[in-house]
Structure formats: C-alpha cells, structure tokens
mmCIF file of all heavy atoms in Angstrom:
data_model
loop_
_atom_site.group_PDB
_atom_site.id
_atom_site.type_symbol
_atom_site.label_atom_id
_atom_site.label_comp_id
_atom_site.label_asym_id
_atom_site.label_seq_id
_atom_site.Cartn_x
_atom_site.Cartn_y
_atom_site.Cartn_z
ATOM 1 N N LYS A 1 -5.498 1.097 4.425
ATOM 2 C CA LYS A 1 -5.633 -0.355 4.319
ATOM 3 C C LYS A 1 -7.062 -0.809 4.083
ATOM 4 O O LYS A 1 -7.284 -1.847 3.461
ATOM 5 C CB LYS A 1 -5.047 -1.018 5.558
ATOM 6 C CG LYS A 1 -3.552 -0.805 5.681
ATOM 7 C CD LYS A 1 -2.992 -1.585 6.853
ATOM 8 C CE LYS A 1 -1.503 -1.337 6.973
ATOM 9 N NZ LYS A 1 -0.932 -2.081 8.110
ATOM 10 N N GLU A 2 -8.040 -0.070 4.598
ATOM 11 C CA GLU A 2 -9.428 -0.473 4.377
ATOM 12 C C GLU A 2 -9.806 -0.315 2.912
ATOM 13 O O GLU A 2 -10.458 -1.177 2.326
ATOM 14 C CB GLU A 2 -10.372 0.344 5.255
ATOM 15 C CG GLU A 2 -11.820 -0.098 5.142
ATOM 16 C CD GLU A 2 -12.713 0.634 6.119
ATOM 17 O OE1 GLU A 2 -12.861 0.157 7.260
ATOM 18 O OE2 GLU A 2 -13.267 1.683 5.737
ATOM 19 N N LYS A 3 -9.395 0.781 2.318
ATOM 20 C CA LYS A 3 -9.704 1.026 0.910
ATOM 21 C C LYS A 3 -8.639 0.448 -0.021
ATOM 22 O O LYS A 3 -8.808 0.474 -1.242
ATOM 23 C CB LYS A 3 -9.832 2.538 0.666
ATOM 24 C CG LYS A 3 -10.977 3.177 1.432
ATOM 25 C CD LYS A 3 -11.038 4.676 1.175
ATOM 26 C CE LYS A 3 -12.184 5.316 1.953
ATOM 27 N NZ LYS A 3 -12.220 6.794 1.753
ATOM 28 N N ARG A 4 -7.558 -0.050 0.572
ATOM 29 C CA ARG A 4 -6.449 -0.643 -0.190
ATOM 30 C C ARG A 4 -5.906 0.347 -1.219
ATOM 31 O O ARG A 4 -5.734 0.026 -2.397
ATOM 32 C CB ARG A 4 -6.885 -1.953 -0.853
ATOM 33 C CG ARG A 4 -7.291 -3.003 0.150
ATOM 34 C CD ARG A 4 -7.684 -4.313 -0.477
ATOM 35 N NE ARG A 4 -6.545 -5.048 -0.989
ATOM 36 C CZ ARG A 4 -5.754 -5.813 -0.253
ATOM 37 N NH1 ARG A 4 -5.952 -5.920 1.039
ATOM 38 N NH2 ARG A 4 -4.754 -6.474 -0.793
ATOM 39 N N LEU A 5 -5.601 1.546 -0.726
ATOM 40 C CA LEU A 5 -5.045 2.596 -1.572
ATOM 41 C C LEU A 5 -3.653 2.962 -1.080
ATOM 42 O O LEU A 5 -3.358 2.901 0.119
ATOM 43 C CB LEU A 5 -5.940 3.844 -1.555
ATOM 44 C CG LEU A 5 -7.361 3.666 -2.110
ATOM 45 C CD1 LEU A 5 -8.158 4.947 -1.929
ATOM 46 C CD2 LEU A 5 -7.320 3.253 -3.579
ATOM 47 N N VAL A 6 -2.799 3.369 -2.005
ATOM 48 C CA VAL A 6 -1.424 3.740 -1.701
ATOM 49 C C VAL A 6 -1.171 5.152 -2.211
ATOM 50 O O VAL A 6 -1.544 5.485 -3.344
ATOM 51 C CB VAL A 6 -0.423 2.767 -2.358
ATOM 52 C CG1 VAL A 6 1.013 3.206 -2.110
ATOM 53 C CG2 VAL A 6 -0.642 1.346 -1.845
ATOM 54 N N TYR A 7 -0.534 5.971 -1.362
ATOM 55 C CA TYR A 7 -0.187 7.334 -1.748
ATOM 56 C C TYR A 7 1.289 7.583 -1.469
ATOM 57 O O TYR A 7 1.835 7.079 -0.487
ATOM 58 C CB TYR A 7 -1.013 8.358 -0.958
ATOM 59 C CG TYR A 7 -2.503 8.244 -1.150
ATOM 60 C CD1 TYR A 7 -3.253 7.399 -0.330
ATOM 61 C CD2 TYR A 7 -3.164 8.973 -2.127
ATOM 62 C CE1 TYR A 7 -4.620 7.275 -0.492
ATOM 63 C CE2 TYR A 7 -4.536 8.865 -2.292
ATOM 64 C CZ TYR A 7 -5.260 8.018 -1.475
ATOM 65 O OH TYR A 7 -6.617 7.897 -1.647
ATOM 66 N N SER A 8 1.899 8.359 -2.307
ATOM 67 C CA SER A 8 3.267 8.797 -2.082
ATOM 68 C C SER A 8 3.307 10.306 -2.243
ATOM 69 O O SER A 8 3.010 10.831 -3.318
ATOM 70 C CB SER A 8 4.224 8.131 -3.078
ATOM 71 O OG SER A 8 5.560 8.552 -2.840
ATOM 72 N N TYR A 9 3.620 10.985 -1.155
ATOM 73 C CA TYR A 9 3.629 12.449 -1.134
ATOM 74 C C TYR A 9 2.345 13.027 -1.710
ATOM 75 O O TYR A 9 2.354 13.946 -2.528
ATOM 76 C CB TYR A 9 4.854 12.985 -1.879
ATOM 77 C CG TYR A 9 6.150 12.670 -1.168
ATOM 78 C CD1 TYR A 9 6.996 11.680 -1.644
ATOM 79 C CD2 TYR A 9 6.516 13.345 -0.009
ATOM 80 C CE1 TYR A 9 8.180 11.366 -0.985
ATOM 81 C CE2 TYR A 9 7.688 13.035 0.656
ATOM 82 C CZ TYR A 9 8.513 12.047 0.162
ATOM 83 O OH TYR A 9 9.683 11.739 0.832
ATOM 84 N N GLY A 10 1.213 12.460 -1.290
ATOM 85 C CA GLY A 10 -0.087 12.997 -1.661
ATOM 86 C C GLY A 10 -0.649 12.504 -2.978
ATOM 87 O O GLY A 10 -1.814 12.765 -3.288
ATOM 88 N N GLU A 11 0.132 11.775 -3.761
ATOM 89 C CA GLU A 11 -0.348 11.289 -5.051
ATOM 90 C C GLU A 11 -0.675 9.796 -4.959
ATOM 91 O O GLU A 11 0.134 9.014 -4.465
ATOM 92 C CB GLU A 11 0.706 11.517 -6.139
ATOM 93 C CG GLU A 11 0.937 12.979 -6.467
ATOM 94 C CD GLU A 11 1.840 13.157 -7.676
ATOM 95 O OE1 GLU A 11 2.128 12.142 -8.358
ATOM 96 O OE2 GLU A 11 2.245 14.293 -7.951
ATOM 97 N N GLU A 12 -1.862 9.432 -5.446
ATOM 98 C CA GLU A 12 -2.250 8.021 -5.427
ATOM 99 C C GLU A 12 -1.418 7.233 -6.439
ATOM 100 O O GLU A 12 -1.181 7.688 -7.554
ATOM 101 C CB GLU A 12 -3.733 7.865 -5.761
ATOM 102 C CG GLU A 12 -4.219 6.432 -5.695
ATOM 103 C CD GLU A 12 -5.699 6.287 -5.991
ATOM 104 O OE1 GLU A 12 -6.412 7.320 -5.964
ATOM 105 O OE2 GLU A 12 -6.136 5.145 -6.260
ATOM 106 N N VAL A 13 -0.962 6.062 -6.026
ATOM 107 C CA VAL A 13 -0.160 5.186 -6.883
ATOM 108 C C VAL A 13 -0.905 3.863 -7.030
ATOM 109 O O VAL A 13 -1.277 3.231 -6.040
ATOM 110 C CB VAL A 13 1.239 4.938 -6.275
ATOM 111 C CG1 VAL A 13 2.054 4.011 -7.187
ATOM 112 C CG2 VAL A 13 1.971 6.265 -6.067
ATOM 113 N N GLU A 14 -1.129 3.441 -8.260
ATOM 114 C CA GLU A 14 -1.849 2.196 -8.510
ATOM 115 C C GLU A 14 -0.922 1.007 -8.322
ATOM 116 O O GLU A 14 0.153 0.943 -8.909
ATOM 117 C CB GLU A 14 -2.418 2.194 -9.932
ATOM 118 C CG GLU A 14 -3.279 0.985 -10.243
ATOM 119 C CD GLU A 14 -3.910 1.052 -11.616
ATOM 120 O OE1 GLU A 14 -3.938 2.149 -12.208
ATOM 121 O OE2 GLU A 14 -4.378 0.003 -12.094
ATOM 122 N N VAL A 15 -1.343 0.067 -7.483
ATOM 123 C CA VAL A 15 -0.543 -1.134 -7.234
ATOM 124 C C VAL A 15 -1.439 -2.365 -7.364
ATOM 125 O O VAL A 15 -2.654 -2.287 -7.223
ATOM 126 C CB VAL A 15 0.107 -1.111 -5.835
ATOM 127 C CG1 VAL A 15 1.081 0.044 -5.696
ATOM 128 C CG2 VAL A 15 -0.945 -1.073 -4.736
ATOM 129 N N THR A 16 -0.824 -3.508 -7.616
ATOM 130 C CA THR A 16 -1.555 -4.770 -7.670
ATOM 131 C C THR A 16 -1.795 -5.282 -6.257
ATOM 132 O O THR A 16 -1.231 -4.767 -5.281
ATOM 133 C CB THR A 16 -0.779 -5.830 -8.462
ATOM 134 O OG1 THR A 16 0.413 -6.163 -7.737
ATOM 135 C CG2 THR A 16 -0.407 -5.334 -9.847
ATOM 136 N N SER A 17 -2.618 -6.321 -6.143
ATOM 137 C CA SER A 17 -2.920 -6.894 -4.830
ATOM 138 C C SER A 17 -1.668 -7.430 -4.146
ATOM 139 O O SER A 17 -1.437 -7.202 -2.959
ATOM 140 C CB SER A 17 -3.956 -8.007 -4.978
ATOM 141 O OG SER A 17 -4.291 -8.548 -3.720
ATOM 142 N N LYS A 18 -0.808 -8.153 -4.898
ATOM 143 C CA LYS A 18 0.427 -8.688 -4.324
ATOM 144 C C LYS A 18 1.345 -7.552 -3.886
ATOM 145 O O LYS A 18 1.983 -7.624 -2.827
ATOM 146 C CB LYS A 18 1.141 -9.560 -5.356
ATOM 147 C CG LYS A 18 0.604 -10.991 -5.463
ATOM 148 C CD LYS A 18 1.054 -11.862 -4.319
ATOM 149 C CE LYS A 18 0.801 -13.342 -4.607
ATOM 150 N NZ LYS A 18 -0.605 -13.691 -4.775
ATOM 151 N N GLU A 19 1.446 -6.497 -4.680
ATOM 152 C CA GLU A 19 2.286 -5.361 -4.318
ATOM 153 C C GLU A 19 1.777 -4.714 -3.031
ATOM 154 O O GLU A 19 2.570 -4.340 -2.156
ATOM 155 C CB GLU A 19 2.324 -4.348 -5.464
ATOM 156 C CG GLU A 19 3.093 -4.841 -6.686
ATOM 157 C CD GLU A 19 2.836 -4.018 -7.934
ATOM 158 O OE1 GLU A 19 1.993 -3.091 -7.892
ATOM 159 O OE2 GLU A 19 3.465 -4.312 -8.968
ATOM 160 N N PHE A 20 0.452 -4.603 -2.907
ATOM 161 C CA PHE A 20 -0.122 -4.008 -1.702
ATOM 162 C C PHE A 20 0.172 -4.882 -0.487
ATOM 163 O O PHE A 20 0.482 -4.376 0.598
ATOM 164 C CB PHE A 20 -1.626 -3.820 -1.869
ATOM 165 C CG PHE A 20 -2.249 -3.021 -0.751
ATOM 166 C CD1 PHE A 20 -2.326 -1.637 -0.834
ATOM 167 C CD2 PHE A 20 -2.731 -3.641 0.392
ATOM 168 C CE1 PHE A 20 -2.877 -0.886 0.203
ATOM 169 C CE2 PHE A 20 -3.279 -2.918 1.428
ATOM 170 C CZ PHE A 20 -3.351 -1.531 1.333
ATOM 171 N N GLN A 21 0.080 -6.203 -0.643
ATOM 172 C CA GLN A 21 0.353 -7.109 0.466
ATOM 173 C C GLN A 21 1.794 -6.991 0.943
ATOM 174 O O GLN A 21 2.061 -6.967 2.150
ATOM 175 C CB GLN A 21 0.042 -8.541 0.061
ATOM 176 C CG GLN A 21 -1.446 -8.827 -0.097
ATOM 177 C CD GLN A 21 -1.715 -10.243 -0.547
ATOM 178 O OE1 GLN A 21 -0.797 -10.969 -0.931
ATOM 179 N NE2 GLN A 21 -2.964 -10.648 -0.524
ATOM 180 N N VAL A 22 2.727 -6.933 0.004
ATOM 181 C CA VAL A 22 4.138 -6.798 0.385
ATOM 182 C C VAL A 22 4.370 -5.458 1.085
ATOM 183 O O VAL A 22 5.021 -5.398 2.137
ATOM 184 C CB VAL A 22 5.053 -6.934 -0.854
ATOM 185 C CG1 VAL A 22 6.484 -6.519 -0.509
ATOM 186 C CG2 VAL A 22 5.043 -8.367 -1.367
ATOM 187 N N LEU A 23 3.822 -4.383 0.520
ATOM 188 C CA LEU A 23 3.975 -3.068 1.144
ATOM 189 C C LEU A 23 3.387 -3.060 2.553
ATOM 190 O O LEU A 23 3.986 -2.512 3.485
ATOM 191 C CB LEU A 23 3.289 -2.001 0.291
ATOM 192 C CG LEU A 23 4.029 -1.561 -0.974
ATOM 193 C CD1 LEU A 23 3.120 -0.701 -1.849
ATOM 194 C CD2 LEU A 23 5.293 -0.781 -0.615
ATOM 195 N N SER A 24 2.220 -3.670 2.728
ATOM 196 C CA SER A 24 1.570 -3.694 4.039
ATOM 197 C C SER A 24 2.398 -4.472 5.056
ATOM 198 O O SER A 24 2.544 -4.057 6.206
ATOM 199 C CB SER A 24 0.179 -4.317 3.924
ATOM 200 O OG SER A 24 -0.663 -3.531 3.118
ATOM 201 N N LEU A 25 2.938 -5.608 4.625
ATOM 202 C CA LEU A 25 3.753 -6.416 5.538
ATOM 203 C C LEU A 25 4.992 -5.650 5.982
ATOM 204 O O LEU A 25 5.310 -5.580 7.184
ATOM 205 C CB LEU A 25 4.154 -7.716 4.844
ATOM 206 C CG LEU A 25 5.066 -8.647 5.644
ATOM 207 C CD1 LEU A 25 4.366 -9.134 6.910
ATOM 208 C CD2 LEU A 25 5.500 -9.825 4.792
ATOM 209 N N LEU A 26 5.694 -5.060 5.037
ATOM 210 C CA LEU A 26 6.898 -4.297 5.378
ATOM 211 C C LEU A 26 6.550 -3.067 6.206
ATOM 212 O O LEU A 26 7.277 -2.688 7.134
ATOM 213 C CB LEU A 26 7.635 -3.889 4.102
ATOM 214 C CG LEU A 26 8.172 -5.041 3.236
ATOM 215 C CD1 LEU A 26 8.778 -4.489 1.947
ATOM 216 C CD2 LEU A 26 9.197 -5.869 3.991
ATOM 217 N N PHE A 27 5.416 -2.454 5.877
ATOM 218 C CA PHE A 27 4.970 -1.257 6.582
ATOM 219 C C PHE A 27 4.662 -1.565 8.046
ATOM 220 O O PHE A 27 4.972 -0.773 8.949
ATOM 221 C CB PHE A 27 3.721 -0.728 5.880
ATOM 222 C CG PHE A 27 3.226 0.597 6.377
ATOM 223 C CD1 PHE A 27 3.574 1.767 5.731
ATOM 224 C CD2 PHE A 27 2.404 0.675 7.489
ATOM 225 C CE1 PHE A 27 3.111 2.998 6.193
ATOM 226 C CE2 PHE A 27 1.939 1.890 7.955
ATOM 227 C CZ PHE A 27 2.297 3.058 7.307
ATOM 228 N N ASP A 28 4.029 -2.710 8.288
ATOM 229 C CA ASP A 28 3.639 -3.077 9.650
ATOM 230 C C ASP A 28 4.824 -3.505 10.513
ATOM 231 O O ASP A 28 4.690 -3.637 11.730
ATOM 232 C CB ASP A 28 2.615 -4.217 9.621
ATOM 233 C CG ASP A 28 1.249 -3.759 9.129
ATOM 234 O OD1 ASP A 28 0.991 -2.541 9.156
ATOM 235 O OD2 ASP A 28 0.451 -4.617 8.696
ATOM 236 N N HIS A 29 5.971 -3.748 9.876
ATOM 237 C CA HIS A 29 7.174 -4.157 10.610
ATOM 238 C C HIS A 29 8.354 -3.287 10.164
ATOM 239 O O HIS A 29 9.301 -3.784 9.557
ATOM 240 C CB HIS A 29 7.477 -5.646 10.379
ATOM 241 C CG HIS A 29 6.342 -6.546 10.776
ATOM 242 N ND1 HIS A 29 5.295 -6.842 9.935
ATOM 243 C CD2 HIS A 29 6.102 -7.200 11.948
ATOM 244 C CE1 HIS A 29 4.456 -7.661 10.571
ATOM 245 N NE2 HIS A 29 4.921 -7.878 11.784
ATOM 246 N N PRO A 30 8.283 -1.988 10.457
ATOM 247 C CA PRO A 30 9.332 -1.078 9.989
ATOM 248 C C PRO A 30 10.703 -1.457 10.520
ATOM 249 O O PRO A 30 10.844 -1.890 11.665
ATOM 250 C CB PRO A 30 8.881 0.284 10.530
ATOM 251 C CG PRO A 30 7.980 -0.038 11.674
ATOM 252 C CD PRO A 30 7.283 -1.306 11.290
#
C-alpha cells in the first residue's frame, strides 16, 4: 500500500488509481 503496487502470485500487475482504491477497500474488509 505504501508503494501502491499490486502483485498476483509474485507477478506485478499494473492498475489505475481507482482500481487500486477498490482493491484496497475490498482487501481491508475481506
């Protein structure tokens, strides 16, 4: 979250700011 990076099974995935926000919100409330 500090670097605003997303990984899936070890591979970095490029996402937009809105996509990161949605992922973070859902992630924080599993």
Side-chain angles (χ1 to χ4, degrees):
K1 295 185 181 180
E2 184 174 272
K3 297 179 180 178
R4 298 182 73 82
L5 297 176
V6 176
Y7 300 88
S8 181
Y9 292 105
E11 292 188 10
E12 183 179 345
V13 180
E14 185 176 344
V15 297
T16 67
S17 182
K18 278 284 194 297
E19 290 165 356
F20 189 89
Q21 289 178 349
V22 169
L23 283 169
S24 296
L25 177 63
L26 297 175
F27 187 96
D28 288 341
H29 302 85

